[in-house]
């Protein structure tokens, strides 16, 4: 093999390895249970009119996946409370206060299956000049909904060159407003198998709402979990590159957990 061939072979191996790493961003293998592909996941619209177009863009973006469609349906909760609903994702916007976070995604797990989810965007920050921009609204909405599908981040270094995906941490989301092909490839891998149970429900089936503020449930001592309160998110298990806790897990027992993903304001 000549020198040119060696260089080209090495480049091909490097690129293949890079793509494989970027595409391997499942979150723990957690996924919605379903017996057929593609499946449809409802996004409950509990957002203000300012957010409607961004929620619609996010739903359209994730529906480009070959294994799932995300469709916007009327919400089933109050935005300020944002209770979870079995079998779907409730998406909420409200002035949650200067509590540090721009957006959060919460998913309820039973075994390896996602059974319900919540996405919240914090208008207290999005009403400021720093974040009241289309690129920030698209970026946060897209990423938080992506977490509820079972995706993790592709890259968690804020200063790296943008990967042109909303699943990439960034200081400037101008080119990180939508999923990229690696996100769709990862969804193909996550949902390559079929399950014997469905944890996804349509409006016609009517999934029940979770108890407790923010979709919580009693924690075993008769007290409801307030999921607007970071102290109730459970154990911090991951930090972002700035040292902020970015992922929490609360163990509810019996194989059930709540994961909370956080995008913090700068």
């Amino acid at each position: 093999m000549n020198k040119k061939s060696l260089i080209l072979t090495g480049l091909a191996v490097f690129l293949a390895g890079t793509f494989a790493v970027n595409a391997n961003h499942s979150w723990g293998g957690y996924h919605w249970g379903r017996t057929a592909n593609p499946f449809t996941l409802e996004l409950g619209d509990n957002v203000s009119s300012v957010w409607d177009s961004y929620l619609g863009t996010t739903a359209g973006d994730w529906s480009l996946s070959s294994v799932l469609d995300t469709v916007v349906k009327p919400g089933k909760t109050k935005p300020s409370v944002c209770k979870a609903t079995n079998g779907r994702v409730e998406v909420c916007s409200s002035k949650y206060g200067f509590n540090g976070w721009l957006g959060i995604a919460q998913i309820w797990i039973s075994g390896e299956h996602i059974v319900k989810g919540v996405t919240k965007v914090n208008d207290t920050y999005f009403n400021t000049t720093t974040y009241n921009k289309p690129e920030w609204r698209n970026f946060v909405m897209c990423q938080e909904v992506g977490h509820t599908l079972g995706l993790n981040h592709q890259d968690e270094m804020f200063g790296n060159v943008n990967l042109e995906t909303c699943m990439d941490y960034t200081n400037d989301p101008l080119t990180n407003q939508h999923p990229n092909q690696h996100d769709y490839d990862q969804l193909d891998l996550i949902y390559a198998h079929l399950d014997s149970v469905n944890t996804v429900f349509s409006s016609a089936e009517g999934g029940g709402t979770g108890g407790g503020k923010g979709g919580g449930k009693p924690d075993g001592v008769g007290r409801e979990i307030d999921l607007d309160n970071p102290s109730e998110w459970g154990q911090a298990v991951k930090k972002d590159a700035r040292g902020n806790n970015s992922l929490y897990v609360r163990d509810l027992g019996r194989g059930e957990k709540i994961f909370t993903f956080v995008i913090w304001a700068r």
Side-chain angles (χ1 to χ4, degrees):
M1 183 180 292
N2 59 36
K3 183 176 181 181
K4 182 177 179 181
S5 297
L6 284 171
I7 292 173
L8 290 175
T9 300
L11 178 61
V13 171
F14 169 77
L15 290 176
T18 300
F19 291 160
V21 170
N22 285 343
N24 184 20
H25 57 291
S26 165
W27 170 240
Y30 297 120
H31 60 280
W32 292 89
R34 73 276 171 269
T35 56
N37 286 336
F39 66 98
T40 299
L41 180 67
E42 293 184 354
L43 306 179
D45 183 351
N46 309 279
V47 300
S48 67
S49 58
V50 175
W51 281 101
D52 280 337
S53 64
Y54 300 101
L55 178 55
T57 295
T58 288
D61 283 345
W62 288 118
S63 291
L64 294 177
S65 166
S66 63
V67 293
L68 63 86
D69 292 307
T70 49
V71 297
V72 179
K73 295 289 185 177
K76 296 185 177 183
T77 185
K78 294 180 179 179
S80 60
V81 177
C82 206
K83 287 185 178 181
T85 303
N86 290 335
R88 73 193 322 233
V89 176
E90 297 292 350
V91 183
C92 306
S93 69
S94 188
K95 295 178 181 177
Y96 296 109
F98 288 106
N99 49 25
W101 55 265
L102 281 177
I104 61 176
Q106 292 169 321
I107 51 176
W108 281 253
I109 301 297
S110 179
E112 62 182 5
H113 292 138
I114 304 171
V115 297
K116 55 186 174 182
V118 160
T119 287
K120 298 180 187 177
V121 288
N122 190 348
D123 281 333
T124 303
Y125 291 99
F126 281 104
N127 288 342
T128 67
T129 55
T130 299
Y131 295 108
N132 189 15
K133 299 174 181 177
E135 57 265 34
W136 276 107
R137 291 179 182 270
N138 274 325
F139 167 66
V140 174
M141 180 66 75
C142 177
Q143 183 174 132
E144 302 300 41
V145 171
H147 285 316
T148 69
L149 304 179
L151 290 174
N152 205 343
H153 308 108
Q154 285 195 35
D155 179 34
E156 297 185 336
M157 300 300 294
F158 293 91
N160 285 356
V161 175
N162 282 358
L163 297 178
E164 298 187 6
T165 167
C166 61
M167 304 310 295
D168 170 26
Y169 278 160
T170 180
N171 292 319
D172 180 3
L174 186 61
T175 58
N176 276 10
Q177 300 184 52
H178 311 280
N180 68 8
Q181 186 58 49
H182 297 315
D183 297 311
Y184 300 127
D185 291 344
Q186 185 62 60
L187 288 173
D188 285 346
L189 292 174
I190 293 172
Y191 293 101
H193 72 285
L194 296 179
D195 296 301
S196 60
V197 297
N198 280 313
T199 60
V200 183
F201 300 104
S202 68
S203 294
E205 294 172 297
T209 57
K213 187 176 181 182
K217 60 185 294 185
D219 64 0
V221 294
R223 182 172 59 85
E224 291 184 342
I225 300 172
D226 177 3
L227 289 177
D228 287 336
N229 186 347
S231 67
E232 301 274 20
W233 292 347
Q235 180 181 0
V237 295
K238 195 171 187 179
K239 292 182 180 290
D240 65 25
R242 296 193 181 110
N244 296 314
N245 293 323
S246 58
L247 178 63
Y248 297 76
V249 58
R250 177 153 189 160
D251 193 335
L252 302 176
R254 305 179 307 281
E256 298 179 1
K257 298 177 182 180
I258 304 173
F259 288 99
T260 300
F261 300 83
V262 189
I263 297 179
W264 296 101
R266 290 181 295 181

